[in-house]
Short mmCIF file of all heavy atoms in Angstrom, two decimals:
data_model
loop_
_atom_site.label_atom_id
_atom_site.label_comp_id
_atom_site.label_asym_id
_atom_site.label_seq_id
_atom_site.Cartn_x
_atom_site.Cartn_y
_atom_site.Cartn_z
N PRO V 8 -13.01 -49.61 -50.30
CA PRO V 8 -13.97 -48.84 -49.52
C PRO V 8 -13.99 -49.33 -48.06
O PRO V 8 -13.39 -50.36 -47.75
CB PRO V 8 -15.30 -49.14 -50.21
CG PRO V 8 -15.12 -50.55 -50.72
CD PRO V 8 -13.67 -50.63 -51.14
N ARG V 9 -14.63 -48.64 -47.18
CA ARG V 9 -14.76 -49.10 -45.79
C ARG V 9 -15.85 -50.16 -45.67
O ARG V 9 -15.76 -51.05 -44.83
CB ARG V 9 -15.08 -47.92 -44.88
CG ARG V 9 -13.97 -46.89 -44.78
CD ARG V 9 -12.72 -47.45 -44.08
NE ARG V 9 -13.06 -48.06 -42.81
CZ ARG V 9 -13.19 -47.39 -41.68
NH1 ARG V 9 -13.01 -46.08 -41.66
NH2 ARG V 9 -13.50 -48.01 -40.57
N HIS V 10 -16.85 -50.05 -46.50
CA HIS V 10 -17.93 -51.03 -46.51
C HIS V 10 -18.26 -51.35 -47.97
O HIS V 10 -18.26 -50.46 -48.82
CB HIS V 10 -19.19 -50.50 -45.80
CG HIS V 10 -18.96 -50.11 -44.39
ND1 HIS V 10 -19.06 -50.99 -43.34
CD2 HIS V 10 -18.61 -48.92 -43.83
CE1 HIS V 10 -18.80 -50.36 -42.20
NE2 HIS V 10 -18.51 -49.09 -42.47
N GLU V 11 -18.53 -52.63 -48.21
CA GLU V 11 -18.89 -53.06 -49.56
C GLU V 11 -19.97 -54.11 -49.44
O GLU V 11 -19.79 -55.11 -48.74
CB GLU V 11 -17.67 -53.61 -50.28
CG GLU V 11 -17.94 -54.16 -51.67
CD GLU V 11 -18.05 -53.07 -52.72
OE1 GLU V 11 -17.43 -52.02 -52.53
OE2 GLU V 11 -18.77 -53.30 -53.72
N VAL V 12 -21.07 -53.89 -50.12
CA VAL V 12 -22.14 -54.87 -50.20
C VAL V 12 -22.32 -55.22 -51.65
O VAL V 12 -22.50 -54.33 -52.49
CB VAL V 12 -23.46 -54.34 -49.60
CG1 VAL V 12 -24.54 -55.41 -49.70
CG2 VAL V 12 -23.27 -53.91 -48.15
N THR V 13 -22.27 -56.49 -51.96
CA THR V 13 -22.38 -56.92 -53.34
C THR V 13 -23.18 -58.21 -53.42
O THR V 13 -23.47 -58.83 -52.40
CB THR V 13 -20.98 -57.11 -53.95
OG1 THR V 13 -21.10 -57.30 -55.37
CG2 THR V 13 -20.29 -58.32 -53.35
N GLU V 14 -23.50 -58.58 -54.62
CA GLU V 14 -24.27 -59.82 -54.81
C GLU V 14 -23.33 -60.93 -55.26
O GLU V 14 -22.32 -60.69 -55.94
CB GLU V 14 -25.38 -59.60 -55.83
CG GLU V 14 -26.46 -58.66 -55.33
CD GLU V 14 -27.64 -58.58 -56.29
OE1 GLU V 14 -27.51 -59.04 -57.43
OE2 GLU V 14 -28.68 -58.03 -55.87
N MET V 15 -23.70 -62.12 -54.91
CA MET V 15 -22.93 -63.30 -55.28
C MET V 15 -22.65 -63.29 -56.78
O MET V 15 -23.54 -63.00 -57.59
CB MET V 15 -23.70 -64.56 -54.91
CG MET V 15 -22.98 -65.85 -55.18
SD MET V 15 -23.88 -67.29 -54.54
CE MET V 15 -25.37 -67.18 -55.51
N GLY V 16 -21.39 -63.61 -57.13
CA GLY V 16 -21.01 -63.66 -58.53
C GLY V 16 -20.36 -62.40 -59.04
O GLY V 16 -19.71 -62.42 -60.10
N GLN V 17 -20.50 -61.32 -58.30
CA GLN V 17 -19.91 -60.06 -58.73
C GLN V 17 -18.42 -60.01 -58.37
O GLN V 17 -17.97 -60.68 -57.44
CB GLN V 17 -20.63 -58.88 -58.08
CG GLN V 17 -22.09 -58.76 -58.49
CD GLN V 17 -22.23 -58.50 -59.98
OE1 GLN V 17 -21.63 -57.58 -60.53
NE2 GLN V 17 -23.01 -59.35 -60.65
N GLU V 18 -17.70 -59.19 -59.09
CA GLU V 18 -16.29 -58.96 -58.79
C GLU V 18 -16.15 -57.88 -57.72
O GLU V 18 -16.87 -56.88 -57.75
CB GLU V 18 -15.55 -58.51 -60.05
CG GLU V 18 -14.08 -58.20 -59.83
CD GLU V 18 -13.40 -57.77 -61.12
OE1 GLU V 18 -13.27 -58.60 -62.03
OE2 GLU V 18 -12.97 -56.60 -61.19
N VAL V 19 -15.26 -58.12 -56.79
CA VAL V 19 -15.01 -57.16 -55.71
C VAL V 19 -13.54 -56.80 -55.70
O VAL V 19 -12.68 -57.69 -55.79
CB VAL V 19 -15.38 -57.77 -54.34
CG1 VAL V 19 -15.01 -56.83 -53.22
CG2 VAL V 19 -16.87 -58.11 -54.28
N THR V 20 -13.24 -55.52 -55.60
CA THR V 20 -11.85 -55.07 -55.52
C THR V 20 -11.68 -54.21 -54.27
O THR V 20 -12.36 -53.21 -54.10
CB THR V 20 -11.45 -54.27 -56.75
OG1 THR V 20 -11.58 -55.09 -57.91
CG2 THR V 20 -9.99 -53.81 -56.63
N LEU V 21 -10.75 -54.64 -53.43
CA LEU V 21 -10.42 -53.90 -52.21
C LEU V 21 -9.07 -53.23 -52.43
O LEU V 21 -8.18 -53.81 -53.06
CB LEU V 21 -10.35 -54.84 -51.01
CG LEU V 21 -11.55 -55.80 -50.83
CD1 LEU V 21 -11.36 -56.64 -49.59
CD2 LEU V 21 -12.85 -55.04 -50.79
N ARG V 22 -8.93 -52.04 -51.89
CA ARG V 22 -7.74 -51.24 -52.15
C ARG V 22 -7.03 -50.87 -50.87
O ARG V 22 -7.66 -50.71 -49.82
CB ARG V 22 -8.12 -49.98 -52.93
CG ARG V 22 -8.70 -50.28 -54.31
CD ARG V 22 -9.22 -49.05 -54.99
NE ARG V 22 -9.70 -49.35 -56.34
CZ ARG V 22 -10.87 -49.88 -56.63
NH1 ARG V 22 -11.73 -50.19 -55.65
NH2 ARG V 22 -11.20 -50.13 -57.87
N CYS V 23 -5.71 -50.73 -50.99
CA CYS V 23 -4.90 -50.40 -49.81
C CYS V 23 -3.74 -49.50 -50.22
O CYS V 23 -3.06 -49.75 -51.21
CB CYS V 23 -4.35 -51.68 -49.17
SG CYS V 23 -3.22 -51.38 -47.79
N LYS V 24 -3.53 -48.47 -49.42
CA LYS V 24 -2.36 -47.61 -49.56
C LYS V 24 -1.53 -47.75 -48.28
O LYS V 24 -1.99 -47.35 -47.20
CB LYS V 24 -2.76 -46.16 -49.75
CG LYS V 24 -1.60 -45.18 -49.84
CD LYS V 24 -2.10 -43.77 -50.07
CE LYS V 24 -0.97 -42.74 -49.93
NZ LYS V 24 0.16 -43.02 -50.84
N PRO V 25 -0.33 -48.31 -48.38
CA PRO V 25 0.47 -48.50 -47.17
C PRO V 25 1.08 -47.18 -46.68
O PRO V 25 1.02 -46.16 -47.38
CB PRO V 25 1.57 -49.46 -47.63
CG PRO V 25 1.72 -49.17 -49.08
CD PRO V 25 0.34 -48.81 -49.57
N ILE V 26 1.66 -47.22 -45.52
CA ILE V 26 2.36 -46.06 -44.98
C ILE V 26 3.59 -45.79 -45.83
O ILE V 26 4.32 -46.73 -46.20
CB ILE V 26 2.74 -46.30 -43.51
CG1 ILE V 26 1.48 -46.39 -42.65
CG2 ILE V 26 3.67 -45.21 -42.99
CD1 ILE V 26 1.73 -46.81 -41.22
N SER V 27 3.81 -44.55 -46.17
CA SER V 27 4.95 -44.18 -46.99
C SER V 27 6.26 -44.63 -46.35
O SER V 27 6.47 -44.41 -45.15
CB SER V 27 4.96 -42.65 -47.19
OG SER V 27 6.08 -42.26 -47.94
N GLY V 28 7.11 -45.26 -47.16
CA GLY V 28 8.39 -45.75 -46.65
C GLY V 28 8.37 -47.18 -46.19
O GLY V 28 9.42 -47.77 -45.91
#
Side-chain angles (χ1 to χ4, degrees):
Chain V
R9 294 294 308 276
H10 301 272
E11 177 79 28
V12 180
T13 190
E14 292 186 347
M15 183 174 62
Q17 296 297 307
E18 177 180 294
V19 175
T20 299
L21 311 181
R22 297 173 176 80
C23 175
K24 177 178 171 56
I26 294 172
S27 178

